[in-house]
Amino acid sequence: MCIRDSFMAMFQHDLKRLLSYHAVSQVGYMVLGIGTGNPIGIAGGLFHMLNNAIYKSCLFLCGGAVEKKTGTSDLDKLGGLSKVMPITFMTCLVAALSISGVPPFNGFFSKWMIYQGVIEMGKTGNRLWIIWLVAAMFGSALTLASFMKLIHTTFLGAASSQQIGIREGKKSPAPRSSLLSTEVSFSMWLPMVVLAGLCIIFGIFSYTVPIKNFILPAVPELYLIGKWSTRLAAFLILVGLFVGLAIYLVGKIKIRRDITYIGGEEPDMRVSGVDFYQTISDYGLFKLMYKGAEKKVFDIYDWGKGIISYFVRMLSFAHSGILPTYLSWAIAGIVIIVFVLMS
């Protein structure tokens, strides 16, 4: 589930649809953790369920803020929003790194616990544990890839040449600058900041805050087969970021910038993150898979809708409004129940 939906998310052109696929993909980690049947895996699955509620809510709020400000969720029409929506950008970046399992955020720690649970399965004789472990880690890599696309396309990429901010009923959209002059309102960005803060707190202080207060009461037999120093890792990451910033600032002073030339001419093009992974869909098996996906062959939602519609049509046929028919169905149901109970 986590690999399939992460693959599908990579090629989406709609921000909300991309996030929706990842909402389903993360359920695979929860099921995997609880399915290990050992304390560390179950605790990891429960912790990931809590973490998913945090960073996924933050991502959907960020998507709502982007759509509120620009009037669209089409990734082809977005770009360069980090300068005009810095709070939304930073909170979305934190939540994206969290769902991708990047340390020191909360998503990494819960996935790390699930990995330990899978390894424990191998110690109890499960020969397929390595397959589940590789699949889970590969799913995280795909998640990171699709969110690199989302962050670049929405916030870091060049602004689209198309007019943004088209509202229903407007024939001539307002200029981009007038629509995106400020961040979204306080009531919209405050929940995003709180949730992004929880992603950081539940990652750096995972032992002392969420594990102790939320997970241990449910799984008191919890023990970790490996040790992860969250605070030390966070400190080293911050040091690395500061060193990188210093190098960037020094380079910015010494390096002269100029426009890019291709073949001696200035290119008139915009690199869109939407097409980052488009070439993958042209390879053999992937090409067949994505053609099937376009026809909704793998869409479990359409499957469910078709199955439910089939039964609804059967019930509609049975509910004819004729009393003798209802009585016949009632008697048939009673006979079936009696047969099952007696057997």
Side-chain angles (χ1 to χ4, degrees):
M1 181 184 292
C2 57
I3 293 180
R4 184 203 64 190
D5 288 302
S6 296
F7 254 124
M8 295 305 302
M10 288 174 61
F11 296 90
Q12 300 306 315
H13 287 236
D14 186 85
L15 189 152
K16 292 185 291 185
R17 191 172 178 84
L18 186 151
L19 294 179
S20 298
Y21 271 108
H22 278 296
V24 179
S25 72
Q26 297 305 299
V27 177
Y29 289 98
M30 305 172 203
V31 174
L32 176 62
I34 296 174
T36 59
N38 51 62
I40 181 62
I42 295 173
L46 294 175
F47 190 22
H48 198 70
M49 191 181 303
L50 174 63
N51 288 336
N52 185 67
I54 295 172
Y55 55 62
K56 183 56 65 176
S57 298
C58 184
L59 287 169
F60 274 111
L61 288 175
C62 292
V66 169
E67 186 173 15
K68 170 72 174 179
K69 205 66 179 174
T70 63
T72 182
S73 60
D74 188 348
L75 295 177
D76 288 304
K77 299 178 181 179
L78 298 173
L81 297 180
S82 61
K83 295 180 180 180
V84 291
M85 303 179 70
I87 299 177
T88 302
F89 165 60
M90 290 304 300
T91 53
C92 186
L93 178 62
V94 169
L97 294 176
S98 297
I99 193 175
S100 303
V102 176
F105 303 105
N106 58 347
F108 166 79
F109 195 83
S110 55
K111 287 185 178 181
W112 181 67
M113 293 173 67
I114 293 172
Y115 299 157
Q116 293 185 67
V118 175
I119 294 172
E120 284 289 287
M121 290 174 59
K123 295 181 180 179
T124 58
N126 190 313
R127 298 181 180 181
L128 299 178
W129 69 273
I130 188 66
I131 297 177
W132 314 137
L133 182 63
V134 171
M137 297 180 71
F138 185 52
S140 290
L142 293 177
T143 302
L144 179 60
S146 58
F147 275 99
M148 286 175 59
K149 161 187 168 178
L150 184 147
I151 293 295
H152 176 274
T153 305
T154 307
F155 297 102
L156 300 180
S160 172
S161 59
Q162 302 181 44
Q163 291 287 347
I164 300 179
I166 301 177
R167 298 292 193 268
E168 186 176 355
K170 280 191 176 182
K171 295 183 178 179
S172 56
R176 176 184 175 87
S177 58
S178 64
L179 289 167
L180 296 177
S181 57
T182 58
E183 179 64 82
V184 291
S185 63
F186 172 80
S187 61
M188 292 188 68
W189 63 253
L190 179 60
M192 296 187 292
V193 171
V194 172
L195 292 170
L198 289 176
C199 290
I200 298 173
I201 294 172
F202 278 22
I204 298 177
F205 304 100
S206 51
Y207 291 111
T208 56
V209 180
I211 298 295
K212 180 179 179 180
N213 296 304
F214 302 115
I215 307 302
L216 281 179
V219 190
E221 304 87 359
L222 175 64
Y223 64 94
L224 299 177
I225 62 176
K227 183 67 176 177
W228 172 258
S229 180
T230 54
R231 299 182 187 181
L232 176 61
F235 172 74
L236 293 177
I237 290 173
L238 284 175
V239 171
L241 290 175
F242 280 119
V243 171
L245 179 62
I247 295 173
Y248 169 76
L249 293 175
V250 171
K252 190 175 181 181
I253 296 174
K254 294 183 178 180
I255 298 177
R256 180 179 66 86
R257 291 189 176 186
D258 204 345
I259 57 177
T260 304
Y261 290 91
I262 298 178
E265 297 183 359
E266 181 182 348
D268 183 17
M269 60 180 293
R270 170 178 175 262
V271 178
S272 173
V274 174
D275 301 319
F276 269 5
Y277 312 109
Q278 201 64 39
T279 53
I280 298 176
S281 62
D282 296 329
Y283 295 153
L285 179 62
F286 296 112
K287 186 175 183 178
L288 293 175
M289 183 179 72
Y290 284 106
K291 282 187 175 180
E294 289 176 357
K295 299 177 181 178
K296 299 186 177 182
V297 173
F298 309 110
D299 199 327
I300 59 176
Y301 310 108
D302 271 22
W303 293 358
K305 184 176 69 175
I307 294 172
I308 292 173
S309 298
Y310 175 76
F311 284 105
V312 167
R313 285 194 296 269
M314 289 181 59
L315 293 174
S316 299
F317 175 76
H319 287 70
S320 59
I322 302 174
L323 185 59
T325 305
Y326 286 169
L327 183 60
S328 301
W329 283 111
I331 294 173
I334 293 172
V335 171
I336 293 173
I337 293 173
V338 171
F339 177 77
V340 171
L341 292 176
M342 291 185 66
S343 63

